Amino acid sequence: MEIDRPLEAPFSESIEFIRENLTRKTHDIAVVLGSGLGGFSAHLDDKESLATSDIPGYPRSTVVGHSGQIMSAQVARKKVLVFSGRVHYYESASTLNAAVTAIVSHALGIKTIVLTNAAGILNEAFYPGDLMLIKDQLNFTFRNILADMRFPLRNLQPIYSDAMAGRMYEAAERASVNLKGGTYVGLTGPSYETPAEVRMYRKLGGDAVGMSTVQEALYARATDMEVVGISCLTNYSTGITSEKLSHAEVTEIGARVDKKFSGLLTSFIGAL
Ligand code: HPA
């Protein structure tokens, strides 16, 4: 069954504005930077920036550490569209707003998207500062953008591209990054998990937990993009240690892992 209306319709004004205001009309890849991971922006060459607050119809982010920029740039001689900062589901209770990065990327004809995020650790074999390739997701938001956009029933397995995962591991080897792998549990937030919830997610096979990514991944995969996910593990989830979790801790670790995070992404993009 075909979808009988343009998929980008909800953000058509934003998309038109972005198209008109960026010099590059095509990009090899889109990259979405999670909380505290905006440092990657320093590695962009020949950069053009749009503030999301200047884009008509674009949803607003209110979270500290999300600067709200869309950048078109070169990385390792590839053309990259970078979203620095995203809108979380809990900011507007809208899956469409939560996935605007993927909707815009698809509308601009981009075929591959790297979704990055800051996440809490569920798997005790992992440490704060580790990077984890997202192999699969547990969508504990119990929302699905594809239902909200009336997509027809279809099988999306695997959501995260095996081919791109292989390339990301190769990039990790070149960049001497010890890349972990695991299942990302996506929650709506904005409250952090309770210790009982953390015990449950662990039992169900979750390795990391966060409040983004799952809707973007669903939309991107459903529109035939290749999806890659990287979690920057910033903290042990509630109850694994006795430390009390704060957003400041999340952004601070993000800044500390910038070198290896940027090295990994640059190596991956350069080999596309
Ligand atoms: N839980 C949920 N989201 C997060 C966490 C966490 O522990 N850390 C960073 N984002």
Side-chain angles (χ1 to χ4, degrees):
M1 191 167 87
E2 283 301 307
I3 298 154
D4 60 0
R5 65 199 151 74
L7 291 174
E8 68 266 34
F11 298 112
S12 51
E13 221 189 334
S14 305
I15 290 159
E16 199 176 317
F17 182 91
I18 294 165
R19 267 200 197 111
E20 278 173 8
N21 286 279
L22 292 179
T23 310
R24 285 182 196 85
K25 300 302 173 196
T26 62
H27 295 86
D28 300 307
I29 190 165
V31 175
V32 182
L33 300 175
S35 292
L37 299 173
F40 180 65
S41 310
H43 304 267
L44 304 177
D45 299 321
D46 195 14
K47 175 172 81 176
E48 279 183 316
S49 266
L50 301 175
T52 56
S53 54
D54 292 337
I55 302 173
Y58 201 92
R60 302 275 171 263
S61 173
T62 53
V63 181
V64 178
H66 282 250
S67 75
Q69 300 280 326
I70 298 179
M71 292 166 277
S72 170
Q74 299 254 123
V75 174
R77 293 208 213 102
K78 299 295 191 305
K79 293 179 285 182
V80 185
L81 189 71
V82 178
F83 295 82
S84 185
R86 53 153 74 83
V87 186
H88 294 85
Y89 178 80
Y90 59 76
E91 294 180 79
S92 61
S94 157
T95 56
L96 273 66
N97 286 351
V100 65
T101 55
I103 295 172
V104 166
S105 298
H106 171 254
L108 297 182
I110 301 171
K111 300 281 184 239
T112 307
I113 189 163
V114 181
L115 302 170
T116 75
N117 58 48
I121 296 170
L122 296 169
N123 182 336
E124 278 179 56
F126 297 164
Y127 295 92
D130 279 351
L131 298 176
M132 183 192 93
L133 180 81
I134 302 177
K135 294 183 165 174
D136 204 352
Q137 66 186 31
L138 279 170
N139 182 358
F140 260 80
T141 68
F142 302 113
R143 309 282 186 279
N144 191 316
I145 185 173
L146 304 180
D148 293 344
M149 291 185 83
R150 310 291 187 268
F151 272 59
L153 181 65
R154 61 178 290 191
N155 186 341
L156 297 180
Q157 299 319 310
I159 292 180
Y160 294 88
S161 162
D162 287 333
M164 288 295 160
R167 287 173 175 226
M168 191 58 87
Y169 277 120
E170 287 165 16
E173 211 165 298
R174 285 192 302 274
S176 304
V177 171
N178 179 7
L179 182 62
K180 308 289 167 62
T183 296
Y184 176 83
V185 181
L187 312 175
T188 63
S191 44
Y192 286 114
E193 312 69 63
T194 67
E197 285 163 346
V198 166
R199 286 196 296 275
M200 173 180 70
Y201 300 138
R202 284 158 58 99
K203 278 207 175 116
L204 295 179
D207 296 298
V209 61
M211 301 175 192
S212 67
T213 306
V214 292
Q215 305 299 339
E216 293 158 296
L218 283 167
Y219 182 88
R221 178 67 183 90
T223 55
D224 291 325
M225 299 177 78
E226 302 243 44
V227 182
V228 195
I230 300 282
S231 288
C232 170
L233 305 181
T234 52
N235 57 276
Y236 289 109
S237 303
T238 316
I240 298 186
T241 66
S242 53
E243 267 182 59
K244 203 163 164 110
L245 179 57
S246 72
H247 187 65
E249 182 184 356
V250 171
T251 49
E252 187 198 306
I253 289 277
R256 282 201 349 229
V257 302
D258 175 57
K259 192 160 173 261
K260 76 179 175 181
F261 175 77
S262 294
L264 174 65
L265 271 190
T266 305
S267 174
F268 175 77
I269 292 167
L272 279 176

